[in-house]
Amino acid sequence: VQLVESGGGLVQPGGSLRLSCAASGFAFGSYHMKWFRQAPGKERELVATIGRSGSNAYYADSVKGRFTISRDNAKNTVYLQMNSLKPEDTAVYYCAAAYRSFLAGEYDFWGQGTQVTVSS
């Protein structure tokens, strides 16, 4: 099983980034997909979840209206479009797969993370 995130980097406040997570080794379309983030000294936060078919999604209040989660089951890939980025969005972003849990912070598989830094 592999979850490989990409797309992180340094961006100015107000800018945008698109994270990707390529999955392999499991039945991608059978899993809810999640994006978490963790900043230094802070607890891990569930940022967004997308259902198996892509028809439903959840967003943390901190990112609602700015971030969009999507998935392409044909490509076994989940995305996180991040707009209007703020310095407080700076964190390592992780992709995760959960078979049962949609809203809770549970997961079955976890990626290695990609750093997002929002700074002028």
Side-chain angles (χ1 to χ4, degrees), residues 7-83:
L10 174 64
V11 63
Q12 292 188 341
S16 298
L17 282 176
R18 188 194 195 204
L19 305 184
S20 299
C21 172
S24 61
F26 66 99
F28 180 78
S30 296
Y31 284 72
H32 306 303
M33 296 302 297
K34 304 181 177 183
W35 286 98
F36 291 86
R37 68 184 180 187
Q38 188 159 23
K42 294 189 176 181
E43 291 189 357
R44 185 177 65 201
E45 177 185 17
L46 175 59
V47 173
T49 303
I50 188 165
R52 298 180 178 94
S53 67
S55 61
N56 57 329
Y58 156 84
Y59 296 94
D61 286 343
S62 56
V63 306
K64 203 171 292 183
R66 300 188 298 121
F67 290 12
T68 303
I69 189 171
S70 61
R71 66 190 295 165
D72 186 337
N73 285 352
K75 295 182 178 179
N76 285 3
T77 302
V78 61
Y79 306 96
L80 187 67
Q81 178 67 43
M82 305 186 296
N83 298 330

